[in-house]
Amino acid sequence: RRVHGGAMSYLKLFVSVCLVLVLFQTFPTLVVVSSWHEDNESGLSKDPLPNPVPQSQEFANGVVAEVECGAYEPFFEGCHPTICKRLVVDKLFSDEEVARLLELTERGMQGRSKLGGPTILDIGTGFVRDGDGMVRLYESAAGKQLFSDDDFKFYAGVLERIRQRLISEYNLSHLYFTAPTFIARLVGNETWSPKTVHDEYFHPHVDKQNTPHYDYSGLLYLADYQTDFTGGDFVFIDGDTITTVEPRKGRLIMFNSGSENPHQVRRVKTGTRYALSLWFTCNPERLFEPRLSPNTPAKFSQANSEAYRRQPIKQEL
């Protein structure tokens, strides 16, 4: 069943994460349960979660699913969870706002392959990557003209609205936006096959096991299941039970990033799936300031962390 519906330090982090598992929309750790991982002759894996599965549960809009939390160390009082949740929220963004995010995505990904597989765009740092490699957009004069200051302000406002919703839903005293974050375009093509394991976006994984400072995860869909693409389901994995969240434009999934939330995106079969993936941290040392122009350096900064604790940072869309 389913629900319908730069700084060099940053570059090093971005590249290292890419080398672990570049192109899945939550920059995941490759945590593959051995019984699900079938190697073919090329050494690349097939979709590792069998179908059908023994059980499946729905995950409805606005319904809170509580799960037992994994370990969060060091523990930041007022931010790290004592109760872990999975949330689905629809209509946090208007159709016009979703359309603008899509337009920014296509502008940033222009010239990249649409023959199959994943392409990722990090507007905050100007990196775009697909199976043919990675490009730093803002190093060229043309790249610096791709997005206006108003575009950057709009994008930062999207991130801030999601941060505020997380604070509200989890009753947090503080929460910091962190990096990397990106929009992923997954193109379905049955003749496409990954060139390397780094092109495989469909493995079960846990976000925090890949990037330890991740504490809260968010995924905002920019395309509709069945209308824009088939396949590409998002599933939480709890032993023999999976919980399926069907993509829908404007649908936001929020969940804790720890071991309590192993999850997977199924391989896209046809069409094109878009989603914005982003993460938040409780550690002020991993606060990442959203870029507000192509000339703003991409960096982690603790300088403004107290502002995120005392009051919301206001960003208008």
Side-chain angles (χ1 to χ4, degrees), residues 1-5 58-61 88 90 224-226 244-248 251:
R1 296 185 294 169
R2 55 177 86 244
V3 179
H4 294 291
E58 291 181 347
F59 199 39
N61 173 44
V88 173
D90 288 333
D224 286 321
Y225 179 76
Q226 296 288 22
T244 303
V245 183
E246 187 171 290
R248 176 189 295 170
R251 169 164 286 174

Side-chain angles (χ1 to χ4, degrees), residues 39-225:
D39 289 328
N40 57 26
E41 294 180 358
S42 69
L44 303 180
S45 66
K46 303 174 183 177
D47 192 336
L49 193 61
N51 190 18
V53 296
Q55 302 177 53
S56 180
Q57 296 179 340
E58 291 181 347
F59 199 39
N61 173 44
V63 173
V64 177
E66 295 185 355
V67 293
E68 184 177 352
C69 296
Y72 285 81
E73 297 177 356
F75 189 87
F76 288 88
E77 192 70 35
C79 182
H80 275 140
T82 55
I83 298 176
C84 290
K85 303 176 183 179
R86 300 167 181 173
L87 305 173
V88 173
V89 177
D90 288 333
K91 303 300 182 181
L92 184 61
F93 298 95
S94 69
D95 293 343
E96 291 76 17
E97 289 165 339
V98 171
R100 184 172 181 181
L101 282 170
L102 279 170
E103 192 277 326
L104 293 178
T105 301
E106 292 296 352
R107 203 188 311 167
M109 292 183 180
Q110 59 184 308
R112 308 304 292 189
S113 174
K114 292 186 177 181
L115 297 179
T119 303
I120 60 171
L121 168 68
D122 188 339
I123 292 176
T125 61
F127 290 101
V128 61
R129 196 187 195 288
D130 58 14
D132 295 327
M134 183 167 64
V135 173
R136 289 185 255 178
L137 295 175
Y138 305 148
E139 290 192 349
S140 69
K144 288 182 178 181
Q145 300 301 314
L146 276 174
F147 306 115
S148 67
D149 289 353
D150 187 62
D151 290 333
F152 284 110
K153 183 179 179 180
F154 166 77
Y155 188 70
V158 169
L159 306 182
E160 175 61 15
R161 193 184 299 182
I162 295 173
R163 189 183 76 90
Q164 288 296 327
R165 187 60 181 255
L166 274 163
I167 289 174
S168 175
E169 294 285 358
Y170 288 88
N171 193 28
L172 306 178
S173 64
H174 63 284
L175 185 67
Y176 310 114
F177 173 67
T178 193
T181 183
F182 54 85
I183 299 173
R185 180 178 70 192
L186 304 180
V187 177
N189 181 349
E190 64 179 9
T191 66
W192 173 82
S193 61
K195 294 181 179 179
T196 73
V197 294
H198 307 306
D199 295 334
E200 300 175 12
Y201 60 84
F202 38 74
H203 290 293
H205 63 276
V206 173
D207 292 349
K208 194 172 183 66
Q209 291 179 357
N210 175 60
T211 307
H213 66 268
Y214 287 172
D215 293 308
Y216 293 87
S217 302
L219 184 66
L220 177 65
Y221 290 117
L222 306 178
D224 286 321
Y225 179 76

Side-chain angles (χ1 to χ4, degrees), residues 235-253:
V235 298
F236 290 106
I237 305 167
D238 299 294
D240 289 338
T241 299
I242 68 165
T243 302
T244 303
V245 183
E246 187 171 290
R248 176 189 295 170
K249 282 184 181 179
R251 169 164 286 174
L252 174 66
I253 307 174

